[in-house]
Amino acid sequence: MALAKIKNFIDTGLKSVSTPLDRTVNLEPEVGIRIVHSMNEKALHVTVLGARHLPQNFGFTRVNSYVVKVKLIPGKEKFETTSKNESWPLWNEDFTFHLRKETKQKFGKTKVIEEEINGSRFIVATLYAILEDKPLIATDKKEAEKEKTALSPTKELAKKANKKKDGQGASSENQEPTKNKLFSQFFGKGTDKVTETSVTERKLYEKRRTVGATTISLDPKNFTSKPAKPKHPSDVWTGDLWRPLRPISSGILGADEKKENRKGQVELSLCQEKSDKNEEGSEKLVLSLHRLRCSLQTMHEHETLKGQMYIKMSVVDNGRVTHFWKSDRFAPCVSMKFAPDLAAVVADNPYQGALKDVSFVIKFVSKNKMGKKTTVGHFVIGPDVGGSYGEQWKQALAKPGQQITKWQSFE
């Protein structure tokens, strides 16, 4: 009887309790956007409201802050919010996209074209996480060491004395910055500053990781109501829209989603070129790398390897590597572009039929600070290979002088 009474009490108690997390039932990352279409101003006023349920760690690295980039597609204008160091950041920042274009015509005349909004245009909001400099384990250790140990006054005095000695012996070194200043004053060139800014910008972009993106169609059906306090009586808006941040896919048509999520894909072009001499055996096969694309899930898996990535393309002749090209190391990313003229390997054909024993091996490798290499994925393009890898080889041999470009998946 006592157990039955307790059970009834628990059941009724649970039924009467209201859930305090009604507005946070959906725990996936979201971003809040508001769009106002001003017909009088011929502009779109986009407000980035905020974001919620954002990840605080990427692999073994903490997130320092978050940034949202807003873009009108098609269009060249794009804006970026300030960075916020919160998992539920609130921005309420406004950006204006003008719907007027000036086109230059003959004799210096300009023509203004007014653009209309329709279902084929979109506002894309992409949220980025800016990572900290050091991994999560290193930062935790550093904080623990700061709490435990503190410098004694004798050590501090010794450090100050060393600094003074270094300052006395560095008089000749201090003269170099003054020379650089004089050079920049006379010739108007600040080479050091330019290089410093470019390096810092590059470092900032290397720390960025894409959390996800959302697209809002500019269909007139979405602009049905009027704002609470409109600037103009004809203004219409979408209201406050909270949309989930979806992973950015590679956009490769006909790609297998499982393969794409597991490894990644590269765009390669294969061409059979001939030299100026019209002789047998003067042909050569050139394999060029254009782009790398991965899904967000794949990038997260690369982060856990705690290393930098690179791509290696090799020419294998009878089991022996004759030529190879290796890219510079880069941080795990969703997409990466390469210069096809530089990112290429060449397989020579010294005599007719020599290409039967040649193949290309493409590897995607991660290398950490300790020098440990982990092969993320690889594939082979050659005469005895099936699928799309073998098709690209056959098409290149069947159509000399024509570049056969295809997306190939790592396995």
Side-chain angles (χ1 to χ4, degrees):
M1 291 291 289
L3 285 170
K5 284 181 180 179
I6 291 166
K7 191 177 180 182
N8 287 330
F9 174 76
I10 291 168
D11 289 342
T12 54
L14 284 171
K15 285 174 186 176
S16 61
V17 173
S18 61
T19 56
L21 298 172
D22 287 336
R23 67 189 185 93
T24 60
V25 171
N26 186 14
L27 296 177
E28 60 182 341
E30 294 179 330
V31 65
I33 301 289
R34 181 197 302 143
I35 307 171
V36 178
H37 180 210
S38 178
M39 295 179 187
N40 289 49
E41 298 176 11
K42 300 292 179 185
L44 286 170
H45 300 287
V46 180
T47 304
V48 179
L49 303 171
R52 54 196 182 194
H53 310 304
L54 302 181
Q56 295 183 355
N57 301 325
F58 258 70
F60 292 93
T61 311
R62 273 204 190 102
V63 176
N64 184 28
S65 55
Y66 302 93
V67 166
V68 176
K69 185 172 75 175
V70 185
K71 191 175 181 181
L72 175 64
I73 294 179
K76 292 182 179 180
E77 281 188 303
K78 55 185 176 181
F79 301 97
E80 204 169 272
T81 63
T82 55
S83 59
K84 294 277 184 180
N85 188 9
E86 298 169 8
S87 58
W88 285 53
L90 293 173
W91 282 284
N92 289 317
E93 295 182 16
D94 300 324
F95 307 101
T96 303
F97 293 92
H98 299 284
L99 298 175
R100 284 180 177 177
K101 274 187 178 180
E102 288 188 2
T103 56
K104 290 183 180 181
Q105 294 182 340
K106 291 180 180 180
F107 308 109
K109 291 182 180 180
T110 56
K111 187 181 179 181
V112 178
I113 300 171
E114 294 182 357
E115 298 176 341
E116 295 181 359
I117 61 167
N118 50 45
S120 62
R121 306 195 75 181
F122 300 90
I123 289 290
V124 179
T126 310
L127 192 138
Y128 297 96
I130 302 170
L131 306 185
E132 289 184 350
D133 293 329
K134 293 188 177 180
L136 193 63
I137 300 162
T139 51
D140 289 342
K141 281 182 180 178
K142 214 171 188 182
E143 285 173 7
E145 283 174 6
K146 280 182 181 178
E147 289 175 3
K148 286 179 183 179
T149 60
L151 284 170
S152 61
T154 53
K155 285 182 180 178
E156 286 179 0
L157 288 168
K159 275 194 171 182
K160 284 178 183 177
N162 287 329
K163 280 183 182 178
K164 282 181 182 178
K165 284 179 183 178
D166 293 338
Q168 286 172 3
S171 59
S172 59
E173 290 176 3
N174 292 331
Q175 288 175 3
E176 289 183 4
T178 55
K179 286 178 183 178
N180 290 331
K181 284 179 184 178
L182 289 168
F183 183 78
S184 60
Q185 283 176 5
F186 282 109
F187 296 99
K189 291 182 180 180
T191 53
D192 294 337
K193 288 182 181 179
V194 172
T195 51
E196 281 176 10
T197 52
S198 62
V199 168
T200 50
E201 283 178 4
R202 197 189 306 155
K203 283 182 179 178
L204 285 171
Y205 277 103
E206 283 178 358
K207 291 178 191 175
R208 285 193 175 195
R209 298 292 182 271
T210 310
V211 177
T214 187
T215 57
I216 300 167
S217 173
L218 298 180
D219 195 333
K221 293 178 183 178
N222 296 330
F223 297 87
T224 53
S225 58
K226 290 189 176 182
K229 295 178 181 179
K231 285 185 180 180
H232 307 282
S234 60
D235 287 357
V236 287
W237 74 339
T238 58
D240 295 352
L241 301 173
W242 285 89
R243 296 288 182 87
L245 291 164
R246 300 298 181 193
I248 298 174
S249 62
S250 65
I252 303 163
L253 297 173
D256 187 0
E257 289 181 4
K258 291 180 181 178
K259 285 184 181 178
E260 182 184 346
N261 290 338
R262 190 170 67 250
K263 303 294 179 183
Q265 293 179 323
V266 285
E267 187 185 34
L268 296 164
S269 62
L270 186 62
C271 180
Q272 184 181 2
E273 295 181 355
K274 269 197 172 186
S275 63
D276 298 332
K277 299 177 181 179
N278 294 323
E279 298 175 359
E280 290 184 1
S282 61
E283 303 91 355
K284 57 183 180 180
L285 275 174
V286 181
L287 183 70
S288 304
L289 175 64
H290 295 267
R291 284 181 291 176
L292 162 74
R293 281 184 176 178
C294 301
S295 65
L296 191 68
Q297 182 185 343
T298 306
M299 189 189 73
H300 286 199
E301 290 175 5
H302 296 168
E303 289 278 354
T304 57
L305 296 171
K306 298 186 287 182
Q308 289 188 314
M309 319 298 294
Y310 69 86
I311 295 173
K312 184 178 180 181
M313 301 191 299
S314 305
V315 179
V316 180
D317 188 355
N318 285 316
R320 186 173 59 90
V321 176
T322 56
H323 302 86
F324 73 89
W325 172 88
K326 190 164 66 173
S327 71
D328 294 331
R329 278 178 270 179
F330 52 88
C333 60
V334 174
S335 64
M336 174 73 70
K337 285 185 179 181
F338 301 90
D341 298 335
L342 302 173
V345 282
V346 180
D348 295 320
N349 186 22
Y351 56 90
Q352 194 173 5
L355 291 174
K356 291 179 181 178
D357 301 322
V358 175
S359 58
F360 295 98
V361 178
I362 296 89
K363 286 186 178 181
F364 193 17
V365 185
S366 172
K367 187 176 181 180
N368 62 12
K369 290 181 179 178
M370 301 299 290
K372 183 184 177 182
K373 295 178 184 178
T374 306
T375 303
V376 174
H378 74 284
F379 60 88
V380 180
I381 296 176
D384 301 326
V385 184
S388 61
Y389 312 115
E391 284 177 13
Q392 190 172 11
W393 178 274
K394 289 173 185 176
Q395 288 177 18
L397 291 179
K399 299 174 182 178
Q402 187 177 341
Q403 284 195 352
I404 309 300
T405 305
K406 286 193 175 185
W407 284 96
Q408 302 289 11
S409 303
F410 286 106
E411 292 185 347

